[in-house]
Every structure is written in structure tokens, then in C-alpha cells.
Amino acid sequence: MNAHTLTFGLPAPGTIRAARGWEWRWTGAAVMGILNVTPDSFSDGGRHAALDAALHSARAMRDAGVLILDIGGESTRPGAAPVAAHEELDRVLPLIRALAGQGVLLSVDTMKAEVAAAALRAGAHLINDVTGLRDPEMRRVCADAGAPACVMHMQGQPQTMQAAPHYGDVVQEVHTYLREQAREALNAGVPDVLLDPGIGFGKTLDHNLSLLRALPDLTAGPHPVLIGASRKRLIDLMASVPDAADRDPGTLALHLHAARSGAAVVRAHAAAAHVQALRVQAALNAPPGPALHSDG
């Protein structure tokens, strides 16, 4: 299994002091559990609208072995309407404050520097930006807070990204974009980055499949790679599953492929099931040794 490192400017759960800051070191693919506190997300909108329900899900994922919780207060599904910063903050800040100090890394899924800054002050550790840190202010916020960021590729905006996406060479264009954005982020003082090719964000089925097949090229680079294909429409297009809530088996297949291809993090709704599946895959791939059990 591949070994991965992500550097933080300040102490965070699971990190150790190192020369460049505090490092989180792990092998294989860690699980990032999705925790949307939105009424309109494509799969789980409204499920965590109440703080108690969100906290219950968050603690269940943590106890199952999920290492990162990704808290989102604005839907980025195709066609989603924008949300004002104050409304997004009203959704995410109570949950961040309640989970701070609970021994799990807290990521905030936001496109807004204002939201990122407030979330980091409230106790978040990582920013997940679907716009790929295009905004210099977002880079400054992460640098000032010592927070690494997930840099994602998206063609267009959520409102328009699935309106006839087009590339000359999707793999070359997406990988080049991610590497350039990573370089800009690091030059701006962001301590470290994860790279996310943005499965389903301004891509056709063929684009998504090309990127998933080319993962070994991206994961061979210096930055850990995150894959988020959870319950997305490409599963319906491949396996005829129109209801997003029924796409967890397909999600697991895609994410296990990503882990075998060197991905460092997979972002999932069914997070506990992913922890279990990845542990089984790791055991199957481990060198032969003494039998774990004798009861079959």
C-alpha cells in the first residue's frame, strides 16, 4: 500500500511534529465521510439539517474508523443554486464547534474564503474547495491558518458544469491544471494540498472513466490524491441505478479501484462501509503471514 503525508501548519488530530510543521502520515486510502448540512444535496439533502442528527452521524462515522469528516453547507450538485455566506455559516459553524476536539480531522467543503476563514477559526483543519483555490483570497486564508487544502478540478460552475463539457485531452488538461494549482497554492504559503480530479464536475461518462483509468499517473506525483465518486450519476450511466441512494455498491467498486490505483483518500456517503471494504482489501493485498483466525 502507498504511504502518504499531509502537512499542517498547526497541530491537528493524528498529526506528529515534523520539520515543516505537523504531519499526518497514513498508508492506503483513508475515508472522508460526507456530512452535508444542506436541504438540497443530491443524495442526502435534509438528512442532517438538525444538529443532533448531524452529530449522531458524525460520531458514528468517527467510531467506525473514518479519519476525516467533510462538512458542507452549500450543495454543489449540477444546477445547484448559490447560497449566501451567512446562511452557509449558520449551517456549518454549530457542527464544527460541536465536533472540535473530538479526535477527527474536520474538513469544510466550501467555495467561499469568508466561510473558510470562519470555519478554520471555529476548529476545522482542512479546506475542500471545488473551485481548486482559484480565488487568491482562499489561498491566503489557508496559508494564514496553516490549513492544507483539497484542490479540485471543475469545468465551469455547479450551475452550468454539465452543459456539454468538452476537452481536447481530459487527462492531460485536468492533471496539468491540478499540478499548476498545487504549485500556486504552495507558493502562496498553503502548507500542503490534496489533488482531486473532480469526478462528475464538468465531465461526461467517458471523461470520468478516462480520469479513473489514468489515476496511477496522478497518484505517482508528490501530492496525495482524493477521489469522490460517491453515488454520482456515472454509476447510473454504467449500471442503470437511477436512485442515488441505491448507488453505494457502485461507489464501493469505483473507490476500491481508486485505492488500488494509489488514491490517498476516498470521499463517501456510506463511510463506515468503505472503512470495512478497504480493510478487507488491505488484508487481501498484505504479504502472506500467519493466519489471522482459524475459524474460517
Side-chain angles (χ1 to χ4, degrees):
M1 289 191 294
N2 291 12
H4 310 286
T5 302
L6 190 68
T7 301
F8 294 73
L10 295 172
T15 61
I16 59 173
R17 192 70 171 93
R20 294 175 49 235
W22 282 261
E23 289 184 350
W24 178 41
R25 301 171 183 169
W26 73 107
T27 57
V31 177
M32 173 186 276
I34 297 170
L35 198 58
N36 288 323
V37 282
T38 55
D40 58 343
S41 291
F42 79 97
S43 172
D44 57 354
R47 181 183 171 198
H48 301 122
L51 180 59
D52 286 348
L55 283 172
H56 177 79
S57 291
R59 289 166 178 156
M61 286 192 281
R62 177 201 63 190
D63 293 347
V66 172
L67 297 179
I68 314 171
L69 297 176
D70 193 39
I71 300 167
E74 178 178 20
S75 175
T76 53
R77 62 178 172 78
V83 172
H86 69 85
E87 185 174 356
E88 190 176 346
L89 286 168
D90 286 346
R91 294 173 180 177
V92 302
L93 288 182
L95 185 56
I96 294 168
R97 290 170 179 145
L99 290 172
Q102 296 284 310
V104 63
L105 286 167
L106 300 178
S107 167
V108 176
D109 181 1
T110 185
M111 299 179 280
K112 301 183 185 70
E114 176 185 349
V115 173
L120 292 167
R121 287 194 299 269
H125 310 102
L126 171 70
I127 297 301
N128 183 11
D129 180 7
V130 299
T131 67
L133 268 64
R134 296 176 200 164
D135 181 0
E137 182 64 13
M138 184 70 92
R139 297 195 290 267
R140 187 194 66 77
V141 164
C142 292
D144 288 351
C150 181
V151 175
M152 198 193 83
H153 176 276
M154 173 174 60
Q155 189 175 85
Q157 299 293 330
Q159 296 78 23
T160 61
M161 63 187 179
Q162 288 306 110
H166 175 76
Y167 301 85
D169 181 332
V170 67
V171 171
Q172 189 272 333
E173 291 176 36
V174 170
H175 288 191
T176 297
Y177 171 85
L178 291 174
R179 289 163 180 152
E180 289 175 350
Q181 292 301 106
R183 184 166 54 252
E184 286 197 22
L186 296 176
N187 287 342
V190 179
D192 212 347
V193 294
L194 288 152
L195 304 184
D196 179 353
I199 301 302
F201 281 80
K203 282 101 179 170
T204 66
L205 174 60
D206 286 344
H207 295 149
N208 289 318
L209 291 176
S210 294
L211 290 165
L212 289 164
R213 290 168 181 148
L215 269 178
D217 173 71
L218 191 61
T219 62
H223 304 297
V225 173
L226 180 150
I227 294 296
S230 190
R231 299 180 181 174
K232 290 187 175 176
R233 187 168 178 264
L234 78 159
I235 299 169
D236 178 28
L237 296 175
M238 289 189 288
S240 299
V241 191
D243 189 338
D246 294 333
R247 296 175 189 164
D248 288 336
T251 300
L252 277 168
L254 291 173
H255 285 168
L256 289 172
H257 162 81
R260 290 191 297 270
S261 300
V265 180
V266 292
R267 181 179 180 274
H269 296 87
H274 276 69
V275 172
Q276 182 184 129
L278 287 163
R279 285 174 177 169
V280 170
Q281 178 165 272
L284 288 168
N285 292 336
L292 296 176
H293 298 286
S294 60
D295 60 2

